[in-house]
Amino acid sequence: MNVAEIRNQFPILAEKLPGGQDLVYLDNAATSQRPKRVLDKYLQLSLKTNANIHRAVHYLAAEATDQYESAREAVREFIGAASTKEIIFTSGTTASINTVAYSYGKAFVGRGDNIIVSQAEHHSNIVPWQLLAERTGAEVRALPVDDDGQLRIDLLPRLIDKNTRLVAVCHISNVLGLVNPVKEITRIAHERGVHVLIDGAQGIVHEAVAVKDIDCDFYVFSGHKMYAVPFTGVLYGKQDLLEEMPPFLGGGEMIASVSLEDGTTFAPLPGKFEAGTQNLAGTPTLIEAINTCKQFRDKEIVDYQQRLTDYVLNALQADDRITLYGVPRGNVAKVPLFSFSVKGAHHEDLALILDKMGIAVRSGQMCAEPIMDRFGVTGMVRASFAPYNTLEEAEYFIKCLDRAIKMLS
Amino acid sequence: MEPTKTIQEVEADIIENFSMFDQWLDKYEYLIELGKNLDAFPEEAKTEENLIKGCQSRVWLDAKASDGRIWFKADSDAIITKGIISLLISVYNGRTPAEILASDFSFIEKIGLRENLSPTRANGLVSMIETIRKRAAENNN
Ligand SMILES: Cc1ncc(COP(=O)(O)O)c(C=O)c1O
């Protein structure tokens, strides 16, 4: 399998921009492109097997339910969970974290307790905890990162006290692109009786995730960054914890019985957390998305990505006009996600000029204001690569970046 | 100093200038040049009140009315935005509120700026124009 074969699987990559240029899509950390097999799956489900799931006895309903539940099994297998009861489908990372913040919060967090997040979290892994803190009188604490963007896990044991309930950190930050030592973080927290949530929105894309090995209590991610359609997502939780947590949303399908006189009892897992009509055509695209992720573990592809990562990393680090945030050190790996700033050139100007050259990059705060403040910037530029990006595109990006910087200085 | 040309005349000059560029690159280089040459903006006017929301870059616009005319000063931390600000100021500085309110700001589309800027940037441009109109309306009596 080589990069040309991969590119053929992603129809959008053959599109031309209005200016006639080829599209160089380097905003994969925001959302990935989707391969034909994912789009086909979505269409197939809409054209041939559309019915509401778990509800009716007719043929279509049974087919649709089968597809939906196959996706659950595919996800369970993909992340190595013990049971499909531990796989809750949501609309994405944000919905997964909000579910935990509400339901786990209701069961385990009270006045005077605290939740620890890192300085490098996406707003999705900060704001739900702040809302929980506001509701309950709990406190949100931050684990800092050092100048290279590495998590100061040496400080974690001291930050945890007897009132700490949960540590919620990302597997890979959407700004820094470093693989955090989630297994070690989990061990430190568990030794002190503290639960752990891993925001895997970026982690699931770049790492082979085994939740039993990490031993985290929750692992959450979005489908749209791992080649599935938008508004799909997963909340993995350990069964015993999920059992203890009350439901988040109430509605159809999440109940065992409803009575206006005697109250309501809830469905067993995972139904308890899946209220209302689900993403019928979308969620099963996770099956094909997972197949795509597995394909990308092919040695030739992995080696190629590593060469690309090394090339971009070296080029950015060798340029003294550029400050790179998230510098690999020791055994902390860097994924092909590069955020940087340029002295004397505004991130917005750089992104506008690169756009004119056919290159899609992200600029601004990237939904992570605290880490912008940490590094004293109002925004950064981010180039994030996928396995369908070529070395030629990486070289073109570096060349155009140089040209843009010269234009602006 | 009161402008000697009408709004329409200045707009026509700008459209003429931009029509010489057939490459986006030249257009951007020209905007960057304009941005660099924009009059300095007083630090003390960089207030929360003068900050325009809706841009990825920060934009400050200060408007003062005197002798029935409005005088604009503006700044941004991004240079291309500053270039656009410079165009807006050259058209609207020292005009009467009535003149500003009668203008349709369509020269921006005619020089291909709106379509050339990303949607988030277009929002910034729209907010800038709205603020200019708002200041004109406040002083229109
Ligand atoms: C690390 C991280 N966490 C959370 C999110 C939020 O994901 P979503 O918007 O798909 O819910 C993102 C995506 O932008 C992310 O990169």
Side-chain angles (χ1 to χ4, degrees):
Chain A
M1 169 86 25
N2 61 36
V3 67
E5 289 168 278
I6 290 181
R7 289 183 73 80
N8 281 335
Q9 298 178 11
F10 290 79
I12 202 171
L13 300 178
E15 294 289 317
K16 297 276 182 214
L17 293 169
Q21 304 125 308
D22 292 327
L23 166 70
V24 178
Y25 186 73
L26 305 183
D27 197 14
N28 293 285
T31 195
S32 68
Q33 298 303 343
R34 310 187 211 300
K36 189 162 179 304
R37 66 201 296 172
V38 161
L39 301 169
D40 283 348
K41 184 83 177 176
Y42 188 82
L43 204 58
Q44 199 69 13
L45 284 156
S46 308
L47 288 171
K48 308 231 165 171
T49 353
N50 179 51
N52 214 331
I53 53 171
H54 298 140
R55 292 188 186 191
V57 295
H58 57 75
Y59 167 78
L60 272 189
E63 282 294 302
T65 305
D66 273 358
Q67 290 284 347
Y68 196 82
E69 291 307 320
S70 305
R72 203 185 305 276
E73 171 53 23
V75 170
R76 185 207 64 74
E77 191 264 339
F78 188 53
I79 64 170
S83 151
T84 49
K85 292 191 173 127
E86 300 183 321
I87 308 298
I88 316 288
F89 286 129
T90 67
S91 61
T93 306
T94 302
S96 297
I97 296 175
N98 276 279
T99 302
V100 177
Y102 181 85
S103 299
Y104 173 89
K106 203 94 182 149
F108 295 99
V109 181
R111 174 167 299 280
D113 288 344
N114 65 73
I115 310 280
I116 297 174
V117 300
S118 92
Q119 232 178 356
E121 298 308 313
H122 189 282
H123 295 161
S124 287
N125 198 24
I126 299 174
V127 184
W129 307 117
Q130 289 177 327
L131 293 174
L132 170 65
E134 225 163 80
R135 282 195 300 270
T136 58
E139 175 202 351
V140 178
R141 298 182 173 179
L143 181 66
V145 302
D146 69 16
D147 290 347
D148 285 341
Q150 315 252 353
L151 270 189
R152 290 288 309 273
I153 60 167
D154 57 307
L155 298 178
L156 185 56
R158 269 186 280 156
L159 206 55
I160 294 175
D161 63 21
K162 63 179 200 324
N163 296 321
T164 305
R165 293 287 154 264
L166 183 84
V167 174
V169 293
C170 56
H171 195 167
I172 297 174
S173 138
N174 64 309
V175 174
L176 304 169
L178 300 173
V179 184
N180 289 327
V182 286
K183 199 170 160 177
E184 198 179 339
I185 291 168
T186 305
R187 184 182 55 75
I188 293 169
H190 281 179
E191 279 171 7
R192 290 159 180 79
V194 173
H195 291 126
V196 175
L197 176 140
I198 305 295
D199 171 356
Q202 303 295 337
I204 196 76
V205 185
H206 298 281
E207 291 293 290
V209 173
V211 288
K212 273 197 256 176
D213 181 52
I214 299 172
D215 199 31
C216 55
D217 301 285
F218 303 101
Y219 193 97
V220 300
F221 55 94
S222 303
H224 71 96
K225 295 184 201 279
M226 54 170 287
Y227 321 110
V229 300
F231 238 57
T232 57
V234 172
L235 158 58
Y236 158 81
K238 282 187 179 162
Q239 188 176 340
D240 54 342
L241 269 177
L242 291 175
E243 299 280 11
E244 283 184 69
M245 289 157 48
F248 175 35
L249 298 176
E253 289 303 315
M254 52 74 72
I255 48 85
S257 113
V258 177
S259 156
L260 291 174
E261 288 77 34
D262 305 328
T264 293
T265 52
F266 303 115
L269 290 172
K272 180 169 94 174
F273 290 104
E274 293 180 4
T277 294
Q278 300 296 301
N279 192 347
L280 304 169
T283 294
T285 68
L286 285 166
I287 299 171
E288 294 305 332
I290 287 170
N291 286 334
T292 302
C293 289
K294 285 181 178 169
Q295 218 187 5
F296 290 166
R297 292 184 186 163
D298 176 273
K299 183 163 183 321
E300 200 181 331
I301 302 298
V302 172
D303 289 349
Y304 187 86
Q305 270 245 306
Q306 191 56 52
R307 269 200 288 152
L308 185 149
T309 305
D310 293 343
Y311 165 75
V312 179
L313 183 62
N314 289 336
L316 294 176
Q317 282 189 303
D319 192 329
D320 53 18
R321 299 167 300 179
I322 293 171
T323 307
L324 178 71
Y325 304 98
V327 179
R329 201 179 62 214
N331 53 10
V332 173
K334 175 94 175 163
V335 302
L337 184 167
F338 306 91
S339 300
F340 56 90
S341 61
V342 175
K343 210 171 173 338
H346 196 275
H347 48 86
E348 185 188 54
D349 289 326
L350 288 165
L352 274 172
I353 294 173
L354 288 170
D355 176 53
K356 286 310 211 181
M357 298 169 167
I359 301 174
V361 294
R362 180 74 189 270
S363 61
Q365 299 182 329
M366 290 180 261
C367 303
E369 247 184 281
I371 197 71
M372 300 296 136
D373 292 343
R374 161 66 180 81
F375 286 109
V377 295
T378 59
M380 299 176 184
V381 178
R382 179 184 71 195
S384 54
F385 296 76
Y388 42 72
N389 289 121
T390 64
L391 265 169
E392 290 72 32
E393 286 179 312
E395 284 162 4
Y396 179 66
F397 161 65
I398 293 294
K399 205 175 81 192
C400 290
L401 179 59
D402 175 62
R403 198 153 161 223
I405 295 172
K406 284 185 180 139
M407 265 179 83
L408 290 165
S409 52
Chain B
M1 209 178 52
E2 277 179 32
T4 51
K5 290 183 174 179
T6 66
I7 285 187
Q8 287 73 23
E9 282 164 349
V10 180
E11 283 180 340
D13 288 349
I14 293 174
I15 293 166
E16 161 99 35
N17 279 347
F18 270 81
S19 70
M20 297 186 304
F21 307 133
D22 46 347
Q23 295 271 326
W24 70 266
L25 195 67
D26 302 327
K27 212 184 265 185
Y28 271 37
E29 271 175 345
Y30 180 60
L31 282 174
I32 290 168
E33 214 40 54
L34 288 177
K36 284 180 182 160
N37 294 329
L38 186 65
D39 287 345
F41 188 78
E43 270 313 302
E44 64 273 13
K46 287 191 178 174
T47 59
E48 193 59 30
E49 199 178 278
N50 284 341
L51 189 64
I52 297 179
K53 304 285 182 313
C55 315
Q56 215 181 74
S57 46
R58 284 178 296 174
V59 174
W60 296 269
L61 184 72
D62 183 45
K64 287 205 168 44
S66 74
D67 303 332
R69 294 175 183 276
I70 308 186
W71 303 90
F72 294 104
K73 282 201 178 79
D75 200 2
S76 172
D77 51 357
I79 196 77
I80 296 171
T81 299
K82 235 172 130 166
I84 297 170
I85 289 173
S86 162
L87 290 176
L88 289 170
I89 288 186
S90 69
V91 175
Y92 297 107
N93 198 35
R95 305 287 174 189
T96 65
E99 280 177 301
I100 294 172
L101 291 172
S103 161
D104 63 2
F105 292 77
S106 64
F107 81 97
I108 291 180
E109 263 161 70
K110 293 198 183 115
I111 57 177
L113 269 193
R114 204 178 236 277
E115 85 224 18
N116 265 287
L117 297 172
S118 70
T120 50
R121 178 57 92 83
N123 288 338
L125 197 53
V126 171
S127 319
M128 243 188 278
I129 292 169
E130 271 170 10
T131 309
I132 291 176
R133 292 186 70 93
K134 209 166 108 211
R135 295 286 174 270
E138 285 161 6
N139 289 289
N140 193 23
N141 38 34

